[in-house]
Amino acid sequence: VWLTFIAAAMTGSLGRAVMLGVLFGFARGILILATARITDPAALRSLFRTIAAQAPGINNVARVVAGLTAITAAAGLLA
């Protein structure tokens, strides 16, 4: 959450900051919606198994996004 706020502030543009906030909110909201229909423990365990199976790929994507954010922030500081 704080990284998103800092990145939005560093964009220097209200429009870009709002777009970043919307994307972040969408990403968080979609996860909540994905679990909204789970009503029993077996379905929840099944979801956890699916997420665990995809964890290596998800971690790689998260690292790339964090790296790109750091590079963008550094470029903004140097500009």
Side-chain angles (χ1 to χ4, degrees):
V1 173
W2 289 107
L3 179 61
T4 304
F5 178 75
I6 291 168
M10 293 181 72
T11 63
S13 165
L14 179 61
R16 289 181 184 163
V18 168
M19 182 56 86
L20 188 60
V22 167
L23 287 172
F24 178 76
F26 177 77
R28 288 192 65 166
I30 200 79
L31 295 175
I32 293 169
L33 290 175
T35 61
R37 295 181 185 214
I38 293 177
T39 57
D40 59 79
L44 186 59
R45 283 190 293 273
S46 175
L47 176 67
F48 287 157
R49 279 193 294 274
T50 302
I51 292 170
Q54 296 175 0
I58 293 169
N59 285 337
N60 289 337
V61 169
R63 286 185 188 112
V64 168
V65 170
L68 290 174
T69 302
I71 291 168
T72 303
L77 289 174
L78 296 175

